[in-house]
Amino acid sequence: MATVSMRGVRKSYGGALEVIQGIDMEITDGEFIVIVGPSGCGKSTLLRMVAGLEKITGGEIAIDGRVVNELEPKDRDIAMVFQNYALYPHMSVYDNMAYGLKIRGFTKSDIEKRVRHAARTLEIEPFLERKPRQLSGGQRQRVAMGRAIVREPKAFLFDEPLSNLDAKLRVQMRVEIKKLQRQLGVTSIYVTHDQVEAMTMGDRLIVMNKGVAEQIGSPIDVYARPASLFVAAFIGSPSMNFLEARIGSDGSLTLDGASLRPKTRIDPGRAVTIGIRPEHLSVGSGFDLQVELVELLGADTLVYGRLSDGKALVVRLPGNEVPRIGDRLPVKANEGAWHLFDSETGKRLGAA
Amino acid sequence: MVENRPWLTVFSHIVLLIGVVIIAFPVWMTFVASTHDAQTMLRSPVPLLPGPHFFKNYREVLTEGYARTSGIPVTIALFNSMVMALGICIGKIIISIIAAFAIVYFRFPFRMAAFWAIFVTLMLPVEVRIVPTYGVVAGLGMVDSYSGLIIPLIASATATFLFRQFFLSVPDELAEASRVDGAGPIRFFLDILLPMSRTTIAALFVIQFIYGWNQYLWPLLVTNKESFYTAVMLVARQATAVDATPSWNLIMATAMLAMLPPVLVVIFMQRQFVRGLVETEK
């Protein structure tokens, strides 16, 4: 158990291309941090820099107060779970889990005790003598976890560990990993591109885009007050609706005839992008929506339509409300549910 | 393909049988010849069925040798061949697996140049460089020694290339996982890579053993003393006896014996051999 600090961490390949552009982050003891972002945003690179598998170009990373920039992975006291599990194919499950301990010179009985204990925790005791290829995806995933926990490291690093599993198993393992982490209380960094995993597992999220941390905060914070257009669009499904608008001379803005008053003062004449989540719209007098497509999800109904000025909008309604295609549907926004962003910089300006 | 066309089956089996006969007939003739006495083999027609002298002929070549030409028992030549073939084959595997490990897992200057240099030598057979090689070996005083038989043939571009291809197919995450587990390069090599290469090693063992066993030109050059002659050399020397009619029965018995070890290696390692060439374990 330990803290992990990143101070101005940078990574570039051959100078020209900077894939990590300065990340600052303090991870407290026992925290579960999820790094989330689209592919190519540098999230895996950042994790691998913490692990010591990638060199750090600039800044420093400290684990438990000790700067580890120049340390080999084995000296950092971390354990990593890989996307493809990276189990040693010729070793039994037991040997896979014992290997790291064996190298570190633990005694036979000590290894035995730790491996058995981890196997019991993960419910893989019946498979200890099997080879990885005789296991299912979910079982391999557990073995990979077991290999990490027997070491009792200062931090766990997870590199998209669930993306090779089918949807049902992913949900199950997601819950188990979270439970296990809470039970062991080990500081964890978890990389994923799946926003549901990010929202459900993380104590805090780092939302990354093109090598920059767009926002660092608790899941609910990131959802309720996204710091930028990118975060707003990335978190939430279906995605937030965005509409272009301009602040009027009185500081308010008009949208399809209705007037909105931002809670914070914004310079008149400024171009803004306003956003609202589909789930924050409901049936009621406000705007008229020309319904173009209806998706029935059972619990919810997604309504795709256009406002009178041609702008597209998605509305999430309860499953029992099913408008007909071609109808005019009056919709209203929840109080204070509008997000305002600067159209040029993408930064959050406030709510309305 | 699952199809039921009886005539096609019959036809393809006939083709296969003809093929088997073409390949197996000379071997059969060799065996038949090794079981008759010398006179029978010089008379026409040549017999097609085994004769009564099997034990006599084999005892003679194994213990006394074919006195008129070489005068050493085949046992010694078989032993020499075995030392040479195993030396070449094991040496090749050790050297090329280490070379491939360096090329795939380490970043050093001129890495690709080294790889291409190895790759280009694939195209050069032993015979091309045999004269300068002989010069070097003779200069080092290695004529008439096992090291002289083995060392010049011990580098293998084919094996290096095969190991390189196998290592490239091993996921990077395995190397990374072992680094996180605390294994250095040597431990990773011994604990992870080597056991995973088992089937590739078996395949190469078969190929390289036969390659080493069948060497003819190089042992011919580098050995003067009869006690270092190899089995393959012996067969050829016996057949070219100048001042007498060749004893075909004994020559063929020697040939049968020289053929035996490679056949045994193939039979016993066939399963690993096929797996090594076809499937990679990941």
Side-chain angles (χ1 to χ4, degrees):
Chain A
M1 277 174 276
T3 61
V4 177
S5 324
M6 307 179 201
R7 292 184 275 267
V9 173
R10 288 173 181 280
K11 174 77 188 177
S12 58
Y13 294 106
L17 184 74
E18 200 161 51
V19 289
I20 305 281
Q21 305 174 6
I23 303 274
D24 287 284
M25 171 103 202
E26 292 291 328
I27 300 171
T28 59
D29 199 359
E31 204 173 10
F32 197 114
I33 295 291
V34 176
I35 307 176
V36 63
S39 50
C41 71
K43 55 190 192 298
S44 279
T45 310
L46 184 62
L47 186 81
R48 293 163 57 84
M49 285 161 81
V50 177
L53 298 170
E54 297 272 359
K55 276 218 166 310
I56 300 164
T57 316
E60 60 181 31
I61 292 176
I63 298 174
D64 211 10
R66 185 172 60 141
V67 176
V68 296
N69 285 29
E70 297 303 322
L71 289 184
E72 272 290 297
K74 67 184 164 80
D75 301 319
R76 297 188 181 198
D77 205 3
I78 43 104
M80 189 155 170
V81 178
F82 294 87
Q83 180 175 358
N84 63 4
Y85 322 131
L87 300 175
Y88 310 126
H90 59 288
M91 293 187 191
S92 68
V93 168
Y94 183 94
D95 289 334
N96 261 287
M97 288 164 74
Y99 187 62
L101 299 175
K102 222 182 275 173
I103 289 179
R104 282 178 165 72
F106 282 77
T107 62
K108 267 226 158 64
S109 62
D110 227 11
I111 294 175
E112 168 103 28
K113 206 162 53 187
R114 285 191 181 208
V115 172
R116 297 263 167 218
H117 182 75
R120 210 170 311 129
T121 315
L122 292 162
E123 294 165 22
I124 49 174
E125 266 189 311
F127 317 124
L128 279 178
E129 298 313 317
R130 288 203 203 164
K131 293 278 169 66
R133 66 168 173 275
Q134 297 163 304
L135 301 178
S136 69
Q139 290 162 347
R140 286 182 209 186
Q141 179 59 55
R142 281 162 202 267
V143 177
M145 298 270 305
R147 188 167 64 178
I149 67 177
V150 287
R151 294 246 317 275
E152 297 176 10
K154 284 184 180 149
F156 287 146
L157 308 177
F158 298 91
D159 191 2
E160 307 208 19
L162 303 184
S163 51
N164 281 4
L165 300 177
D166 62 56
K168 198 175 165 199
L169 208 52
R170 209 177 310 166
V171 174
Q172 187 192 337
M173 286 304 290
R174 188 171 84 201
V175 175
E176 283 186 30
I177 291 179
K178 180 70 190 160
K179 239 194 268 174
L180 189 72
Q181 192 269 344
R182 198 159 283 162
Q183 182 188 332
L184 299 170
V186 177
T187 311
S188 302
I189 306 178
Y190 186 106
V191 163
T192 181
H193 62 262
D194 182 324
Q195 47 145 323
V196 181
E197 271 173 38
M199 294 294 286
T200 52
M201 296 177 85
D203 295 327
R204 276 196 294 162
L205 310 185
I206 307 178
V207 185
M208 281 189 68
N209 181 31
K210 294 177 186 153
V212 177
E214 292 264 347
Q215 187 169 7
I216 299 177
S218 68
I220 204 65
D221 216 28
V222 169
Y223 175 81
R225 297 190 307 117
S228 68
L229 270 176
F230 173 81
V231 178
F234 189 76
I235 300 290
S237 173
S239 230
M240 191 185 273
N241 296 298
F242 293 111
L243 306 165
E244 299 296 327
R246 196 170 280 280
I247 303 286
S249 52
D250 60 346
S252 70
L253 43 80
T254 46
L255 183 76
D256 206 32
S259 170
L260 285 174
R261 180 153 286 279
K263 287 183 179 148
T264 42
R265 218 197 87 79
I266 302 168
D267 297 334
R270 200 150 166 197
V272 295
T273 301
I274 59 175
I276 187 156
R277 296 198 183 277
E279 52 269 41
H280 294 156
L281 292 165
S282 54
V283 178
S285 62
F287 322 104
D288 273 347
L289 193 69
Q290 181 83 38
V291 178
E292 289 184 334
L293 181 69
V294 177
E295 284 183 344
L296 301 175
L297 302 180
D300 304 305
T301 306
L302 297 182
V303 183
Y304 297 78
R306 283 184 191 282
L307 298 177
S308 55
D309 56 1
K311 285 169 180 152
L313 207 65
V314 184
V315 182
R316 181 184 218 147
L317 298 177
N320 55 4
E321 294 181 30
V322 184
R324 267 184 313 186
I325 293 170
D327 273 2
R328 286 204 160 275
L329 183 73
V331 289
K332 69 171 169 53
N334 291 0
E335 180 62 31
W338 293 95
H339 303 268
L340 273 69
F341 302 94
D342 189 315
S343 289
E344 277 162 44
T345 63
K347 290 271 172 279
R348 181 184 181 84
L349 296 170
Chain B
M1 248 187 341
V2 184
E3 266 184 291
N4 193 11
R5 290 203 216 151
W7 286 110
L8 185 72
T9 313
V10 170
F11 175 72
S12 50
H13 277 77
I14 288 172
V15 170
L16 289 173
L17 281 172
I18 291 172
V20 168
V21 167
I22 290 173
I23 290 170
F25 187 67
V27 180
W28 174 248
M29 283 310 290
T30 309
F31 174 70
V32 168
S34 74
T35 58
H36 287 278
D37 59 11
Q39 278 70 39
T40 319
M41 288 315 298
L42 291 172
R43 269 200 304 268
S44 175
V46 174
L48 288 175
L49 292 172
H53 297 287
F54 176 84
F55 290 107
K56 185 181 162 291
N57 288 342
Y58 281 85
R59 194 182 310 121
E60 188 175 341
V61 291
L62 280 173
T63 55
E64 293 158 39
Y66 185 46
R68 262 171 300 174
T69 51
S70 60
I72 61 157
V74 176
T75 333
I76 291 179
L78 285 175
F79 175 77
N80 290 341
S81 279
M82 190 61 88
V83 170
M84 180 176 77
L86 284 178
I88 289 175
C89 153
I90 293 169
K92 268 179 193 284
I93 288 171
I94 292 175
I95 289 176
S96 50
I97 199 171
I98 293 172
F101 180 56
I103 285 172
V104 175
Y105 286 96
F106 293 89
R107 306 274 164 271
F108 53 87
F110 307 113
R111 190 172 63 101
M112 283 321 280
F115 171 68
W116 284 109
I118 294 169
F119 193 69
V120 164
T121 58
L122 264 178
M123 299 159 198
L124 296 177
V126 176
E127 288 73 15
V128 173
R129 57 176 171 89
I130 204 152
V131 174
T133 308
Y134 182 79
V136 172
V137 170
L140 290 171
M142 294 200 298
V143 174
D144 280 332
S145 70
Y146 288 127
S147 55
L149 277 171
I150 293 167
I151 290 172
L153 301 178
I154 213 169
S156 171
T158 324
T160 310
F161 188 70
L162 216 67
F163 278 125
R164 172 184 178 267
Q165 294 312 102
F166 173 70
F167 289 168
L168 287 179
S169 76
V170 172
D172 289 341
E173 282 85 354
L174 275 186
E176 289 170 353
S178 77
R179 272 180 79 189
V180 173
D181 264 343
I186 304 283
R187 288 208 73 140
F188 170 66
F189 178 69
L190 292 177
D191 289 350
I192 316 283
L193 221 42
L194 205 54
M196 282 179 71
S197 317
R198 219 173 40 237
T199 49
T200 312
I201 290 174
L204 276 171
F205 184 87
V206 174
I207 296 172
Q208 304 295 1
F209 181 86
I210 293 169
Y211 168 87
W213 186 271
N214 288 345
Q215 281 303 312
Y216 174 61
L217 187 57
W218 179 249
L220 197 63
L221 277 178
V222 86
T223 57
N224 298 322
K225 286 199 194 110
E226 284 164 354
S227 59
F228 281 103
Y229 281 5
T230 62
V232 177
M233 278 171 75
L234 217 54
V235 177
R237 284 185 85 90
Q238 290 169 345
T240 54
V242 279
D243 55 344
T245 46
S247 303
W248 286 112
N249 56 334
L250 300 185
I251 296 169
M252 289 305 153
T254 313
M256 284 306 288
L257 288 170
M259 227 187 291
L260 206 56
V263 169
L264 291 179
V265 165
V266 170
I267 288 173
F268 285 112
M269 299 193 72
Q270 190 190 25
R271 267 188 44 209
Q272 285 94 322
F273 175 71
V274 173
R275 263 179 41 197
L277 291 185
V278 175
E279 145 207 325
T280 47
E281 198 182 357
K282 258 166 283 171

